[in-house]
């Protein structure tokens, strides 16, 4: 027995030693607290409770409900009575007047206190001011609602995936593009919801983004939507790191179909603008060969008439010669006919005709051939294209562009060719590539024209070469003009950037050319030194290309 008493005594002593600490903690904590006995009498209340419920009076030993002063506030639904009735913990948030005349929110939690047998021996009630917390929660709820509204109204495709490629968010634009409802796909594997598209490149981009934790861009992903329509999507894969496990990803994208259509329209308008600028020059180029075609045709018509007259005279001479053997007077007729033939020979000048008629015919053919080349190049250049990629001869494209731009450069420069034979065929859209070549050649011609106005004694030169370098078909267009100002070198491919005066340039030519080359998987670059001219390098990949037969 003594050993049992010795074990209890230290515990009671320890509890007694801790009593001052419990009391100090009870008074110091910033959460209002009070204890009630099983009948609802107030046993203890701390200073925080008194501050929170000013001007309410607390009298230890009195029933709690006898102290009620706000039946519509804290005591309107007595938490102590609820706990005594149900035996379960209860909590509520109530509004009470604040010292500044406003209102504050209090969270009241009441716990049952039980003895070893489980009987309720009292209650512990805590009260804390949650006004700021609730204000923050309301603000966060409003922010969350605004974010939801923003994500719902954004026109970009937005798809959020977890580390296992399960869909967490699928916004309205994604629903419209893919023809799927967010409710049907949320929580499912992104690559198992029935999207008909080029998913391999998307998977590769997601893997790279997760590996490098950097955004990865994927352009022109083909996607077939319900109904069979094809669309081009531009996607950016953004990594979303998480504390554990593989990172999630956020897919942001656009339907490029309309953008592509607008770009093609702008490209066609740019081409038509260039064609309009070249129209007067081309008319002059066609007029020159047509003039000597017309002159030579008139000459041939006149000469042919004279030759017919001579032929008729020769016919009569033959008739007279045939009659020589017949009558005596036939000899006199023969002599007269021969005299007439001699007169006509002198008038017709047969030696001159023998020399000039073949030359006139050759010039006529040359003029017609030039007109045919110009018209053919114009038709090739102005054709809107089918939008389909195919294999084509880049050297033929170069010759066509030089032909139709001749009036732009012929007075200020000479054009030199160094085109490599047997180049691989380039794969792409010929009408777009012709736009790139047109822009670069016209820029060279315009630079040389400006130079000629300042230095008329200096003859310009445009050198165009094609070659196969490091697996790429490279077209180089170089001029000996003033070159590109170093201050502008980094901006010449920017949209709407131009150094030309108003009405002379739109600043779109090289920007469009840069976009076209990017779509073809190639590049366009410029190298220049002031006073030494500019040199443009246009490179096409040969992967998947074909060798000319």
């Amino acid at each position: 027995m003594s050993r049992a008493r010795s074990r209890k005594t230290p515990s009671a002593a320890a509890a007694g030693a801790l009593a001052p600490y419990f009391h100090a903690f009870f008074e110091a904590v910033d959460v209002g607290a009070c204890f009630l006995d099983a009948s609802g009498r107030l046993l203890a209340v701390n200073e925080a409770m008194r501050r929170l419920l000013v001007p309410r009076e607390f009298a230890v030993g009195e029933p709690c409900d006898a102290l009620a002063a706000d039946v519509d506030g804290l005591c309107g639904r007595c938490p102590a009575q609820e706990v005594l009735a149900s035996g379960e913990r209860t909590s509520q948030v109530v509004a009470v007047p604040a010292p500044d005349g406003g209102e504050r929110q209090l969270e009241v939690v009441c716990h049952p206190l039980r003895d070893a047998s489980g009987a309720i021996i009292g209650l512990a009630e805590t009260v804390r001011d949650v006004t700021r917390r609730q204000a923050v929660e309301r603000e966060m709820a409003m922010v969350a609602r605004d974010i939801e509204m923003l994500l719902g109204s954004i026109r970009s495709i937005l798809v959020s995936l977890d580390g296992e490629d399960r869909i967490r968010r699928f916004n309205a634009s994604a629903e419209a593009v893919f023809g799927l409802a967010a409710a049907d796909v949320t929580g499912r594997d992104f690559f198992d919801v029935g999207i008909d598209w080029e998913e391999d490149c998307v998977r590769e981009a997601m893997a790279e983004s997760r590996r490098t934790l950097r955004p990865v861009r994927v352009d022109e992903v083909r996607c077939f939507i319900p109904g069979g329509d094809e669309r081009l999507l531009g996607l950016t894969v953004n990594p979303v790191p998480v504390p554990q496990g593989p990172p999630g990803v956020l897919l942001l994208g656009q339907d490029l179909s309309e953008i592509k259509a607008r770009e093609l329209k702008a490209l066609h308008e740019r081409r038509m603008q260039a064609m309009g600028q070249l129209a007067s020059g081309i008319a002059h180029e066609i007029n020159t060969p047509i003039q000597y075609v017309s002159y030579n045709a008139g000459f041939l018509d006149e000469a042919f008439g004279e030759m017919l007259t001579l032929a008729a005279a020769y016919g009569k001479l033959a008739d007279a010669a045939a009659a020589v053997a017949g009558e005596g007077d036939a000899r006199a007729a023969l002599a007269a006919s021969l005299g007439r033939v001699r007169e006509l020979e002198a008038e017709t000048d047969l030696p001159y005709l023998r020399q000039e008629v073949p030359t006139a015919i050759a010039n006529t053919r040359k003029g017609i051939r030039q007109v045919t080349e110009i018209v053919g190049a114009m038709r090739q250049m102005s054709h809107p294209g089918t939008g389909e990629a195919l294999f084509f001869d880049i050297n033929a494209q170069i010759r066509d562009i030089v032909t139709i731009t001749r009036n732009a450069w012929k007075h200020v420069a000479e054009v030199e060719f160094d085109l490599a034979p047997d180049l691989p065929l380039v794969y792409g859209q010929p009408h777009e590539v012709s736009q790139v070549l047109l822009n670069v050649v016209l820029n060279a011609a315009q630079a040389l024209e400006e130079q000629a106005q300042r230095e008329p004694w200096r003859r310009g030169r445009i050198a165009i070469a094609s070659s196969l370098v490091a697996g790429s078909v490279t077209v180089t267009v170089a001029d000996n003009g003033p070159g590109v100002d170093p201050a502008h070198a980094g901006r010449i491919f920017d949209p709407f950037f131009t150094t030309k005066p108003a009405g002379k340039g739109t600043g779109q030519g090289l920007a469009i050319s840069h976009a076209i080359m990017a779509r073809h998987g190639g590049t366009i670059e410029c190298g220049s030194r002031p006073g030494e001219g500019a040199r443009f390098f246009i490179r096409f990949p040969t992967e998947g290309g074909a060798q000319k037969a």
Side-chain angles (χ1 to χ4, degrees):
M1 292 295 289
S2 61
R3 293 182 61 188
R5 281 196 302 271
S6 66
R7 284 197 298 269
K8 293 180 181 178
T9 302
S11 298
L18 290 175
Y21 294 97
F22 284 122
H23 179 73
F25 174 77
F26 179 71
E27 289 296 337
V29 71
D30 60 356
V31 177
C34 66
F35 291 98
L36 308 173
D37 64 14
S39 62
R41 285 187 174 84
L42 184 64
L43 300 177
V45 59
N46 70 351
E47 184 61 26
M49 180 73 86
R50 297 180 187 276
R51 289 197 307 270
L52 289 172
L53 297 179
V54 172
R56 181 171 179 176
E57 295 293 337
F58 292 92
V60 176
E62 295 293 330
C64 183
D65 55 2
L67 307 174
D70 54 341
V71 295
D72 295 328
L74 179 62
C75 299
R77 201 184 96 199
C78 180
Q81 294 298 330
E82 289 188 12
V83 173
L84 291 173
S86 66
E88 301 294 335
R89 170 186 176 276
T90 184
S91 67
Q92 57 177 300
V93 176
V94 297
V96 299
D100 60 2
E103 186 180 77
R104 59 183 175 181
Q105 305 292 319
L106 299 181
E107 181 185 51
V108 183
V109 181
C110 190
H111 301 266
L113 301 177
R114 303 178 187 273
D115 60 13
S117 65
I120 295 177
I121 60 173
L123 305 172
E125 189 171 300
T126 60
V127 177
R128 71 175 66 226
D129 189 342
V130 295
T131 306
R132 180 177 297 179
R133 188 187 76 186
Q134 288 209 329
V136 172
E137 288 176 351
R138 286 194 301 270
E139 185 175 348
M140 291 298 295
M142 293 177 62
V143 170
R145 184 187 62 188
D146 292 344
I147 291 174
E148 288 296 330
M149 292 177 61
L150 174 64
L151 295 179
S153 61
I154 193 170
R155 296 188 61 185
S156 297
I157 299 168
L158 187 150
V159 179
S160 176
L161 308 179
D162 63 15
E164 302 298 328
D165 293 339
R166 290 187 294 265
I167 298 174
R168 297 176 54 199
R169 185 181 296 278
F170 203 80
N171 75 341
S173 293
E175 290 181 319
V177 170
F178 296 121
L180 300 170
D184 296 334
V185 300
T186 301
R188 295 174 56 187
D189 188 318
F190 181 54
F191 296 102
D192 193 31
V193 294
I195 300 176
D196 184 9
W197 65 341
E198 297 175 336
E199 67 176 54
D200 289 344
C201 61
V202 180
R203 286 184 183 273
E204 292 174 2
M206 289 170 55
E208 182 179 351
S209 179
R210 283 175 168 141
R211 185 180 67 256
T212 62
L213 295 181
R214 296 174 63 87
V216 177
R217 177 73 182 176
V218 186
D219 286 313
E220 298 193 5
V221 178
R222 295 184 181 274
C223 175
F224 297 91
I225 64 173
D229 293 337
E230 180 182 357
R231 294 185 177 180
L232 290 177
L233 306 181
L235 300 175
T236 300
V237 183
N238 299 277
V240 182
V242 294
Q244 294 181 344
V249 294
L250 179 66
L251 297 177
L252 295 174
Q254 282 184 305
D255 183 352
L256 302 179
S257 303
E258 294 183 3
I259 297 175
K260 180 78 171 179
R262 289 196 299 269
E263 187 177 287
L264 289 175
K265 181 180 178 181
L267 176 63
H268 187 63
E269 290 174 352
R270 169 69 180 172
R271 185 184 299 113
M272 290 300 101
Q273 180 184 11
M275 297 300 291
Q277 294 173 352
L278 294 171
S280 60
I282 291 174
H284 177 73
E285 290 300 305
I286 292 177
N287 183 61
T288 299
I290 287 296
Q291 281 184 346
Y292 62 75
V293 167
S294 176
Y295 171 78
N296 287 330
F299 169 74
L300 291 174
D301 182 52
E302 182 181 351
F304 188 64
E306 293 176 356
M307 292 181 70
L308 287 179
T309 303
L310 178 60
Y314 276 125
K316 291 182 179 180
L317 176 60
D319 293 339
V324 169
E327 301 178 1
D329 294 335
R331 294 180 182 273
L334 178 60
S337 297
L338 287 173
R340 178 58 179 164
V341 167
R342 295 290 182 263
E343 292 176 2
L344 291 175
E345 283 181 343
E347 294 175 3
T348 304
D349 194 359
L350 282 178
Y352 173 77
L353 294 180
R354 290 190 187 98
Q355 179 179 353
E356 294 300 325
V357 168
T359 302
I361 293 173
N363 287 337
T364 299
R365 289 176 175 174
K366 177 182 178 182
I368 293 173
R369 184 168 59 252
Q370 286 183 341
V371 171
T372 301
E373 290 175 354
I374 293 171
V375 172
M378 285 290 293
R379 290 180 62 187
Q380 177 68 24
M381 179 62 192
S382 61
H383 194 283
T386 62
E388 296 294 331
L390 49 85
F391 292 102
F392 62 91
D393 185 351
I394 191 65
N395 286 344
Q397 293 281 96
I398 294 171
R399 293 189 183 94
D400 284 345
I401 292 302
V402 171
T403 297
I404 67 172
T405 58
R406 184 173 184 273
N407 193 67
W409 52 259
K410 70 175 185 178
H411 297 297
V412 296
E414 301 292 339
V415 173
E416 301 173 359
F417 290 108
D418 184 14
L419 306 181
D422 301 323
L423 283 178
L425 296 177
V426 170
Y427 185 73
Q429 298 185 21
H431 70 285
E432 289 195 348
V433 173
S434 68
Q435 180 68 47
V436 176
L437 296 172
L438 175 68
N439 290 335
V440 174
V441 172
L442 282 180
N443 279 355
Q446 291 166 0
L448 292 172
E449 182 180 9
E450 294 174 2
Q451 177 177 269
Q453 292 173 357
R454 298 189 303 268
E455 305 174 8
W457 61 88
R458 185 176 178 183
R459 185 66 175 172
R461 178 179 58 86
I462 301 175
I464 305 177
S466 63
S467 60
L468 183 62
V469 179
S472 296
V473 172
T474 301
V475 177
T476 305
V477 180
D479 64 72
N480 63 343
V484 179
D485 189 330
H488 302 149
R491 302 182 59 195
I492 60 174
F493 294 109
D494 291 350
F496 305 108
F497 175 77
T498 179
T499 59
K500 299 172 184 175
K504 292 292 186 179
T506 63
Q508 298 185 65
L510 290 179
I512 290 175
S513 300
H514 189 274
I516 290 172
M517 293 308 300
R519 283 200 298 273
H520 283 73
T523 59
I524 177 171
E525 300 171 356
C526 176
S528 174
R529 292 182 179 178
E532 297 183 11
R535 186 182 299 266
F536 282 85
F537 301 93
I538 306 169
R539 296 184 176 91
F540 300 88
T542 58
E543 182 179 355
Q547 191 74 21
K548 289 194 295 185

